[in-house]
Every structure is written in structure tokens, then in C-alpha cells.
Amino acid sequence: EADIYQTPRYLVIGTGKKITLECSQTMGHDKMYWYQQDPGMELHLIHYSYGVNSTEKGDLSSESTVSRIRTEHFPLTLESARPSHTSQYLCASSDYGGNRPYEQYFGPGTRLTVT
Amino acid sequence: DQQVKQNSPSLSVQEGRISILNCDYTNSMFDYFLWYKKYPAEGPTFLISISSIKDKNEDGRFTVFLNKSAKHLSLHIVPSQPGDSAVYFCAASPEGGAQKLVFGQGTRLTINP
């Protein structure tokens, strides 16, 4: 059973604020990912990590930053939120050595609204 | 440049009938394909996958077909049930160990009683 958690689930915040979206997984997966999704659109990869102290930018340019100092934790930070950051943010993880290495397990998402 | 396309934003099917969701891709380097299902206010959940060395994979009511020459895959659900109503995403992964997924835009499936 996949156990990956995201907090907060919903966030409404004013322009210019700094925010951190939390993502934790209890499966010991090495790989973790952040996606951004707008309604009716595809998921876009914005960050990924192969393991502790490893972070890479994804295919969609993002002003957010990530860190990976513990295997289970992969937070995403926006230093100064803007209305263009309004979107749903989905965190996922995968097990490189597992039976289904391409399968990513997703958290419930954080719906961010910047006013 | 969208590499994975789901051209039908929505599909409505009667309960008990077959649902067919389609997906096209452009990158011949994709070697693994997955279908995810997403309910509102939840993250996507894995449904079924297929390797490029196969042309069919079946799991209960769900079957995925891959036509490499046409760069096309489809998901068949039979019989369709009301609980199948959700958004379905097609995803593809290129060769190599990166395990990054490229997603389509999704198709909203509605099963009518």
C-alpha cells in the first residue's frame, strides 16, 4: 500500500508570501517527483530527485525550489508567491528496484491559490 | 510540443458497456506506458501498464493495447461500472533509468446508469 502524504491540502495565500509545500513518503523510495497540474491539462514535471542531496529541474520551468536532505521528505518552496503560481501541486515517489520501477505513487495534492 | 496526447477530453458510456480511451504519442524512444486514474481532490492512482515489447496487457476488467507502428495505445474497460467515472491519464516513459513520466491531458470518463 502506497503511503505518501502532502500538506496542506488546500492553501490560499497572498502575493509575495513565502510558502513551503510538504511531501513525505514512508515507503523508503529513492526517487521523488513534483508535478504541477492545471485543470483539464496534463501533469508537468517541475522537480525530481534520485535520492538524498540529489535534485534536478523537470521539463517545465518553475520558480520553486526543492530540497532532499532525508529520503522520506521532499518539500517544495516558493520564495515569493504570485497569482501565476495558482495550480495543483502533486508529489510522487517510485522504487527503482521494485517490481514495477516505472510506477509512481502519488500523494493527494496541494491546491494552491495565490490572491 | 506535446509528446503524449489524449484527444478526447471527455467520454460518456453506459454502465455495462465497453469504455475505450485512446492515447497517441510522438516520441519513439518511449518504452513503457502507464494508465492512471484520478478522482477529484485526490492524486492519480496507477491502473495498468505495458512495456513496448508487448502489444497487450490485461488485468481484470482493464486491458491496454499498444500499437507501436501507429504510436497509439488504448485502454479498454469492460464492463464499465459507475465507480469507473474519473479522469484517466495516459503516461509514457523513455528508455533509461530516469523513470520520468510524460503525461497526456487526461480524458474524463462518465459512466451512466
Side-chain angles (χ1 to χ4, degrees):
Chain A
E1 186 68 28
D3 293 304
I4 181 163
Y5 308 97
Q6 290 186 245
T7 56
R9 294 291 310 277
Y10 303 91
L11 179 62
V12 180
I13 200 162
T15 297
K17 298 292 186 182
K18 178 180 178 179
I19 58 170
T20 296
L21 307 184
E22 300 288 349
C23 175
S24 294
Q25 50 96 3
T26 59
M27 298 169 283
H29 286 172
D30 288 327
K31 298 196 173 184
M32 296 189 74
Y33 313 82
W34 275 103
Y35 292 88
Q36 184 175 340
Q37 188 203 9
D38 294 322
M41 302 296 289
E42 62 266 45
L43 283 70
H44 287 288
L45 181 68
I46 52 175
H47 297 283
Y48 62 99
S49 168
Y50 291 142
V52 172
N53 295 325
S54 152
T55 61
E56 301 285 346
K57 289 192 178 293
D59 302 322
L60 180 69
S61 176
S62 173
E63 294 167 348
S64 58
T65 59
V66 292
S67 63
R68 188 93 183 274
I69 58 174
R70 299 199 319 262
T71 298
E72 64 270 22
H73 194 214
F74 192 41
L76 180 146
T77 298
L78 275 166
E79 290 293 333
S80 179
R82 295 207 301 265
S84 60
H85 296 140
T86 294
S87 189
Q88 183 177 39
Y89 293 83
L90 291 157
C91 181
S93 70
S94 67
D95 181 11
Y96 181 75
N99 292 331
R100 295 196 294 217
Y102 291 94
E103 180 183 344
Q104 294 182 12
Y105 297 87
F106 282 84
T110 294
R111 183 162 296 282
L112 172 66
T113 302
V114 184
T115 60
Chain B
D1 178 27
Q2 197 168 354
Q3 299 182 69
V4 178
K5 297 181 183 179
Q6 294 176 255
N7 292 316
S8 298
S10 62
L11 176 66
S12 186
V13 174
Q14 193 171 3
E15 182 179 359
R17 306 295 290 266
I18 184 171
S19 296
I20 301 176
L21 297 96
N22 294 303
C23 178
D24 297 295
Y25 62 96
T26 57
N27 189 343
S28 58
M29 298 301 289
F30 288 146
D31 71 341
Y32 204 83
F33 303 89
L34 306 89
W35 284 94
Y36 279 83
K37 177 179 179 180
K38 186 178 186 297
Y39 292 118
E42 294 183 15
T45 55
F46 171 78
L47 197 56
I48 192 169
S49 62
I50 188 167
S51 166
S52 61
I53 63 174
K54 296 185 175 181
D55 55 18
K56 177 182 174 181
N57 188 27
E58 198 170 348
D59 184 1
R61 296 186 297 115
F62 303 92
T63 303
V64 55
F65 295 92
L66 175 63
N67 183 333
K68 284 186 66 178
S69 60
K71 293 190 177 67
H72 176 85
L73 66 156
S74 61
L75 174 68
H76 293 212
I77 306 172
V78 57
S80 300
Q81 299 174 354
D84 296 330
S85 295
V87 177
Y88 289 78
F89 289 95
C90 171
S93 183
E95 291 178 350
Q99 297 180 312
K100 296 194 297 182
L101 296 180
V102 180
F103 283 84
Q105 315 95 301
T107 296
R108 180 176 299 279
L109 175 64
T110 302
I111 306 301
N112 301 309

